[in-house]
Amino acid sequence: MSKKINLREQKKLEYRQKILSAAVHEFKERGFLNTSVSNIMQKADLGVGTFYNYFGSKEEVLMNLVKNLFAEVEEKIQAQAKLKISSIELLESCCMHTAEIIDENKFVLPLLSSAAEHSDKPEQSPKNLSPGFKEIFGKIISFGQERGQIRRDIPTDLISEMFHSIYQAAAFSKLKISFKENVRLKVKILLDGIALKNPQA
Amino acid sequence: MSKKINLREQKKLEYRQKILSAAVHEFKERGFLNTSVSNIMQKADLGVGTFYNYFGSKEEVLMNLVKNLFAEVEEKIQAQAKLKISSIELLESCCMHTAEIIDENKFVLPLLSSAAEHSDKPEQSPKNLSPGFKEIFGKIISFGQERGQIRRDIPTDLISEMFHSIYQAAAFSKLKISFKENVRLKVKILLDGIALKNPQA
Amino acid sequence: MSKKINLREQKKLEYRQKILSAAVHEFKERGFLNTSVSNIMQKADLGVGTFYNYFGSKEEVLMNLVKNLFAEVEEKIQAQAKLKISSIELLESCCMHTAEIIDENKFVLPLLSSAAEHSDKPEQSPKNLSPGFKEIFGKIISFGQERGQIRRDIPTDLISEMFHSIYQAAAFSKLKISFKENVRLKVKILLDGIALKNPQA
Amino acid sequence: MSKKINLREQKKLEYRQKILSAAVHEFKERGFLNTSVSNIMQKADLGVGTFYNYFGSKEEVLMNLVKNLFAEVEEKIQAQAKLKISSIELLESCCMHTAEIIDENKFVLPLLSSAAEHSDKPEQSPKNLSPGFKEIFGKIISFGQERGQIRRDIPTDLISEMFHSIYQAAAFSKLKISFKENVRLKVKILLDGIALKNPQA
DNA sequence: TATGAATGAGGCTTCATTCAT
DNA sequence: GATGAATGAAGCCTCATTCAT
């Protein structure tokens, strides 16, 4: 009995994963908007109807992917935060870890900024997840501001937004350098722009 | 005869303008994706079919709008460039002028980064216009780098890209401050990040 | 120019009529619920999309049909009302005229009572038209009550509802007699049930 | 062994009942058409597939419910029939008992007149059960006609049909009075319309 | 026998594009 | 050249029914 259930559950998980993978593949290949549920399920080698046993809509799939991404990012950052380094150094290191994770999932980024436009169901918009992104960096920044390592004449949110936009821009860059290098250099500028050279005692 | 032709030409221009204006209005109101050709032509008080005498697709309209915008931006910047100020000061002033123009046409911005996704005809993507944007800033930056006013350890393109992304991010910001103020503060950081404090002789 | 418009308008009317006719045919044949927009347009020999140039939904088509029916009924009744006869006689004669009209359009009747259940768009429910039906009879009845020709111990609305239900029931009757005869006999009973034998002076 | 079978039989009955109850609940709550097999089985806390071990379709469930209802109505009427009262009085009393039962199960009524429409399997239509309803009243009426208490110029079936339609109409009435009061008043009219005042010897 | 996930037909609707006038 | 109705592909989603476990 329990075996039976396990088998089923396992199959379910497997299918769910199959759909997610197919979705990622299609999103990467055709972009979110040009991907239809039918596309995804064809790739997944499953019936269209099956999709709706797992997700309510294409948007929901995306949200899932984004959520996972954020979870991963956050985890990495938590680990970094334990090290005894300056906020500036922490930000730099976090940025690079984040870049690494996003590098593998760049297709979600265009959506963070544009999906809102497409949907009649704003409550499902991935944009709602984006704050999570900024909050993480926001904490580090405001801590740095408190400790006098980061300038205080610019609102924390705004700085946070700049970090965020670096990923966006890098994801779409047509420059020849890699995503990660792109991020690295921009982060360098940004950190130079916000760091206080003579930290207050 | 020539007069008749002129009249016709004029009419054509007039219609074209009507369509462009209607498109701007609708894009602002409903967003690019939620605007249909029919929407535009209704607003323009013209037949749907007429649209296709002037443009090949909605995307093409957008491209036109973006082109015009860039022309306007460039003009402003050319004027600034004649003043005898440092590259940093020039960039700052150009950024604010640009912000002013974009502030009125924010609807094009989401498209600069995401429209590529929507279209089966990538050759028509507005993305192809985006370089124009960066080139303008690129010139100022590289001039500043030559004159030792701007750091040289970061490729010009990359810095240029950062300026670009500031507009993107500001256009979508949910922070309470205005678009222009948002841009102003970020430009401040960015300039601090790229300026060489002790210009080389 | 005006001719051109006329031609178009004519074509439009013709198509509209074509759709309505096809709808009636299909509704009769398969019932409202089992009829799809696609069914209708196939019968009408027109593209599916065309349907939406004329009507917003299947429900709207139905409403149109019902509206027309009511208009016809009302017209007949107005004519009768001018005759100098007792309310009872007037009701009888109106009922028969109504029966005649409905006889040709019985397929709408099931819908008057059941369509409400099917629709997520209650505001479009044909039920909202039904009142019109009862109001017409209501006026005659209440006038008869005032004049002492019809019993006053039963609310006008309720009597009105009974008339209405006679059509419903007759439309679905499996008895061998004709729709009109069915109505005639029931009306007879109903009138006997509501008539005051000795009209008050 | 026989015990085991009994247990199994019992379980089967229990499940069947569970499904029927769940169906009633859902039909009441969402209407017949908006209720899916899945809805019912969820409410019944059973697997969807199980449904098909007991019933062939949603329609079949409805038929069962209607059958039960009729059985209940008939039982009440049989009891009444034993009293020594006139056919008119008997009808009145039966009508009110019937009203009471139906009041609790109004959801079946729309279906008596419209369900036929929903199904591709007309042989399963609940309409086929409706006669049962009329037969019961038919007996009383024809007996009354024989005894000279009810007019003979109208076919028994037709009068019977009128009784039937009273329930239909009352179930859907939008008037403020209660279902039972609605029925009571209409029955009053109907009885006045069919009663012979001076019963023939 | 119970289960419930998979299935795909089928319904609705939108809209870019064509084409007869 | 302007018009706007016709078109049908394409997307979304629901749900009765099947079938492997």
Side-chain angles (χ1 to χ4, degrees):
Chain A
M1 183 73 168
S2 106
K3 223 179 237 166
K4 203 202 277 181
I5 288 179
N6 271 347
L7 257 179
R8 271 238 181 121
E9 294 289 306
Q10 204 175 325
K11 195 100 186 166
K12 242 179 116 169
L13 277 179
E14 189 193 310
Y15 275 25
R16 186 190 169 83
Q17 200 45 53
K18 229 175 166 181
I19 295 174
L20 281 172
S21 301
V24 168
H25 183 274
E26 294 297 293
F27 288 168
K28 277 186 186 171
E29 187 128 337
R30 337 159 69 108
F32 178 73
L33 284 165
N34 290 330
T35 299
S36 69
V37 171
S38 161
N39 289 152
I40 296 171
M41 297 313 278
Q42 225 161 300
K43 183 79 198 171
D45 238 327
L46 292 170
V48 194
T50 305
F51 179 87
Y52 293 94
N53 293 340
Y54 291 89
F55 302 96
S57 65
K58 210 174 48 166
E59 279 76 15
E60 205 178 308
V61 171
L62 182 63
M63 277 191 33
N64 243 280
L65 295 171
V66 175
K67 237 184 231 161
N68 293 347
L69 209 63
F70 280 155
E72 207 182 333
V73 167
E74 183 137 26
E75 198 182 330
K76 276 277 168 65
I77 289 182
Q78 298 298 352
Q80 294 296 311
K82 286 175 189 148
L83 307 176
K84 292 290 171 214
I85 51 178
S86 78
S87 293
I88 293 295
E89 286 163 327
L90 178 56
L91 278 172
E92 185 171 14
S93 130
C94 286
C95 280
M96 288 321 293
H97 280 104
T98 303
E100 216 144 293
I101 293 167
I102 290 187
D103 200 13
E104 295 304 307
N105 299 276
K106 283 205 285 276
F107 70 94
V108 306
L109 278 169
L111 305 163
L112 290 185
S113 75
S114 67
E117 199 185 336
H118 319 324
S119 176
D120 297 336
K121 325 155 189 156
E123 77 285 358
Q124 287 180 13
S125 162
K127 228 181 185 165
N128 298 331
L129 293 169
S130 189
F133 198 97
K134 287 179 196 154
E135 274 160 23
I136 301 171
F137 280 79
K139 271 187 214 151
I140 307 178
I141 296 163
S142 76
F143 186 53
Q145 289 177 318
E146 279 164 30
R147 288 200 291 169
Q149 292 166 350
I150 294 177
R151 65 198 291 177
R152 298 201 190 88
D153 59 336
I154 312 271
T156 314
D157 285 350
L158 222 108
I159 299 175
S160 187
E161 221 173 63
M162 281 192 84
F163 277 101
H164 183 213
S165 69
I166 281 177
Y167 295 102
Q168 296 272 1
F172 284 110
S173 175
K174 287 188 168 166
L175 304 183
K176 295 294 176 218
I177 60 174
S178 73
F179 175 76
K180 279 189 275 192
E181 185 63 7
N182 190 312
V183 169
R184 193 181 68 77
L185 292 173
K186 284 177 179 165
V187 166
K188 203 170 171 187
I189 292 178
L190 182 46
L191 291 177
D192 281 351
I194 62 170
L196 289 178
K197 301 300 148 60
N198 305 313
Q200 296 163 327
Chain B
M1 186 71 168
S2 108
K3 225 177 234 168
K4 209 196 271 175
I5 289 180
N6 270 346
L7 262 179
R8 195 173 276 182
E9 292 289 307
Q10 203 174 329
K11 194 93 186 170
K12 253 180 102 167
L13 274 178
E14 189 192 313
Y15 276 21
R16 187 189 169 82
Q17 198 47 52
K18 237 176 164 177
I19 296 173
L20 282 171
S21 301
V24 169
H25 184 275
E26 294 298 293
F27 289 168
K28 276 186 188 172
E29 189 126 337
R30 336 160 69 108
F32 178 73
L33 283 165
N34 294 328
T35 299
S36 67
V37 171
S38 161
N39 288 153
I40 296 171
M41 297 312 277
Q42 222 162 303
K43 183 79 198 172
D45 242 328
L46 291 170
V48 192
T50 306
F51 179 88
Y52 291 90
N53 294 337
Y54 291 89
F55 301 96
S57 67
K58 210 173 50 165
E59 279 76 15
E60 205 178 308
V61 171
L62 183 64
M63 278 187 37
N64 251 280
L65 294 171
V66 175
K67 237 183 230 162
N68 293 346
L69 209 63
F70 282 156
E72 205 183 336
V73 167
E74 182 137 25
E75 196 181 331
K76 275 277 167 67
I77 289 182
Q78 298 300 352
Q80 293 296 313
K82 286 174 188 150
L83 306 176
K84 292 292 170 210
I85 51 179
S86 77
S87 293
I88 294 294
E89 284 164 329
L90 179 56
L91 279 171
E92 184 171 16
S93 132
C94 285
C95 281
M96 289 321 293
H97 279 104
T98 303
E100 216 144 293
I101 292 167
I102 290 186
D103 201 12
E104 295 304 307
N105 299 276
K106 283 204 285 275
F107 69 95
V108 306
L109 279 169
L111 305 163
L112 289 184
S113 73
S114 68
E117 207 189 323
H118 318 324
S119 174
D120 298 335
K121 323 151 191 156
E123 76 287 354
Q124 286 182 15
S125 161
K127 225 177 185 172
N128 300 330
L129 293 168
S130 189
F133 198 97
K134 286 176 197 156
E135 275 160 22
I136 300 171
F137 279 78
K139 270 185 214 152
I140 307 178
I141 295 162
S142 76
F143 187 53
Q145 288 177 318
E146 282 164 29
R147 289 199 292 169
Q149 292 166 350
I150 294 177
R151 67 198 292 175
R152 296 200 190 89
D153 60 337
I154 312 272
T156 313
D157 283 349
L158 221 108
I159 300 176
S160 185
E161 221 174 62
M162 280 192 84
F163 278 100
H164 182 212
S165 70
I166 282 177
Y167 295 103
Q168 297 272 1
F172 284 111
S173 175
K174 285 186 170 169
L175 305 183
K176 294 294 177 217
I177 60 174
S178 72
F179 174 76
K180 277 189 277 193
E181 185 62 6
N182 190 312
V183 169
R184 193 180 68 77
L185 291 173
K186 284 176 179 167
V187 165
K188 204 170 169 185
I189 292 178
L190 182 46
L191 291 176
D192 282 352
I194 63 171
L196 289 178
K197 300 303 149 54
N198 304 313
Q200 298 164 324
Chain C
M1 182 72 169
S2 108
K3 221 178 239 167
K4 203 201 279 181
I5 288 178
N6 272 346
L7 257 178
R8 270 238 181 122
E9 294 290 306
Q10 205 175 322
K11 196 98 186 167
K12 242 179 116 168
L13 277 178
E14 189 192 311
Y15 275 26
R16 186 189 168 84
Q17 200 46 53
K18 230 175 167 181
I19 294 173
L20 281 172
S21 302
V24 169
H25 182 274
E26 295 296 293
F27 287 168
K28 277 186 186 169
E29 188 126 338
R30 338 161 69 107
F32 178 73
L33 286 165
N34 291 330
T35 300
S36 69
V37 171
S38 161
N39 288 153
I40 296 171
M41 298 312 278
Q42 225 160 302
K43 182 79 196 170
D45 238 328
L46 291 170
V48 194
T50 305
F51 179 87
Y52 293 92
N53 293 340
Y54 290 89
F55 302 96
S57 65
K58 212 174 47 166
E59 279 76 17
E60 206 178 306
V61 172
L62 182 64
M63 278 191 33
N64 243 281
L65 295 170
V66 174
K67 237 183 229 161
N68 293 348
L69 208 64
F70 281 155
E72 208 182 333
V73 167
E74 182 137 28
E75 198 182 331
K76 276 276 165 66
I77 289 182
Q78 297 299 352
Q80 294 296 312
K82 286 177 188 145
L83 306 176
K84 293 291 170 211
I85 50 178
S86 79
S87 294
I88 293 294
E89 286 163 327
L90 179 56
L91 278 171
E92 185 171 15
S93 130
C94 285
C95 280
M96 290 320 295
H97 280 104
T98 303
E100 214 145 294
I101 292 166
I102 290 187
D103 200 12
E104 296 303 309
N105 299 277
K106 283 204 284 279
F107 70 94
V108 306
L109 278 170
L111 305 163
L112 290 185
S113 74
S114 68
E117 199 187 335
H118 320 324
S119 178
D120 297 334
K121 325 156 188 157
E123 76 287 354
Q124 286 182 15
S125 162
K127 227 180 187 168
N128 298 330
L129 292 169
S130 190
F133 199 97
K134 285 178 198 156
E135 274 161 22
I136 301 171
F137 280 79
K139 271 187 212 150
I140 306 178
I141 295 162
S142 77
F143 187 52
Q145 289 178 316
E146 280 164 29
R147 289 200 292 168
Q149 293 166 351
I150 294 177
R151 66 197 293 176
R152 297 201 192 87
D153 61 336
I154 311 272
T156 314
D157 284 349
L158 222 107
I159 300 176
S160 186
E161 222 174 62
M162 281 192 84
F163 278 100
H164 184 212
S165 69
I166 282 177
Y167 294 103
Q168 296 271 0
F172 284 110
S173 174
K174 287 188 168 170
L175 304 183
K176 295 295 177 217
I177 61 174
S178 74
F179 174 77
K180 279 190 275 193
E181 185 62 6
N182 189 311
V183 169
R184 194 181 67 76
L185 291 173
K186 285 178 179 165
V187 165
K188 204 169 167 186
I189 292 178
L190 181 47
L191 292 177
D192 281 352
I194 62 170
L196 289 179
K197 301 300 149 57
N198 304 313
Q200 297 162 324
Chain D
M1 184 74 166
S2 106
K3 225 179 231 166
K4 208 196 272 175
I5 289 180
N6 271 346
L7 261 179
R8 195 174 276 182
E9 292 289 305
Q10 203 175 329
K11 194 93 184 168
K12 252 180 103 166
L13 275 178
E14 189 193 313
Y15 275 22
R16 187 189 170 82
Q17 199 45 54
K18 235 176 166 180
I19 296 174
L20 282 171
S21 302
V24 169
H25 184 273
E26 294 298 293
F27 289 168
K28 275 187 188 172
E29 189 127 336
R30 339 161 66 110
F32 178 73
L33 284 165
N34 294 330
T35 299
S36 68
V37 172
S38 160
N39 288 153
I40 295 170
M41 298 312 278
Q42 223 161 303
K43 184 80 197 171
D45 241 327
L46 291 170
V48 193
T50 306
F51 180 88
Y52 291 91
N53 293 336
Y54 292 89
F55 302 96
S57 68
K58 209 174 48 165
E59 279 76 15
E60 207 178 306
V61 171
L62 182 64
M63 277 187 38
N64 251 280
L65 294 172
V66 175
K67 237 183 229 161
N68 293 347
L69 208 63
F70 281 155
E72 205 182 335
V73 167
E74 183 136 26
E75 197 182 330
K76 274 276 166 67
I77 288 181
Q78 298 299 352
Q80 293 296 312
K82 287 176 186 147
L83 306 176
K84 293 291 172 213
I85 50 178
S86 78
S87 294
I88 293 294
E89 285 164 327
L90 179 55
L91 278 172
E92 186 172 13
S93 133
C94 285
C95 280
M96 289 320 293
H97 279 104
T98 303
E100 216 145 292
I101 292 168
I102 290 187
D103 200 13
E104 295 303 307
N105 298 277
K106 283 203 285 277
F107 70 94
V108 305
L109 277 170
L111 304 163
L112 291 184
S113 72
S114 68
E117 205 187 323
H118 317 326
S119 176
D120 299 335
K121 325 150 191 156
E123 76 286 356
Q124 287 182 14
S125 162
K127 226 180 189 167
N128 299 329
L129 293 169
S130 188
F133 197 98
K134 285 176 199 157
E135 274 161 22
I136 301 170
F137 280 78
K139 272 187 213 152
I140 307 178
I141 295 162
S142 76
F143 186 53
Q145 287 177 319
E146 280 163 29
R147 289 200 291 169
Q149 291 165 350
I150 293 176
R151 65 197 294 175
R152 297 201 191 84
D153 60 337
I154 312 271
T156 313
D157 284 349
L158 222 107
I159 300 176
S160 186
E161 220 173 64
M162 280 192 84
F163 278 101
H164 182 212
S165 69
I166 281 176
Y167 295 103
Q168 296 272 0
F172 284 111
S173 174
K174 285 186 170 169
L175 304 184
K176 295 293 177 220
I177 61 175
S178 74
F179 175 76
K180 278 189 275 192
E181 185 63 7
N182 189 312
V183 169
R184 194 181 67 76
L185 291 173
K186 285 176 179 167
V187 165
K188 203 171 172 185
I189 292 178
L190 181 47
L191 292 177
D192 282 352
I194 62 170
L196 288 178
K197 301 301 148 57
N198 305 312
Q200 296 163 328

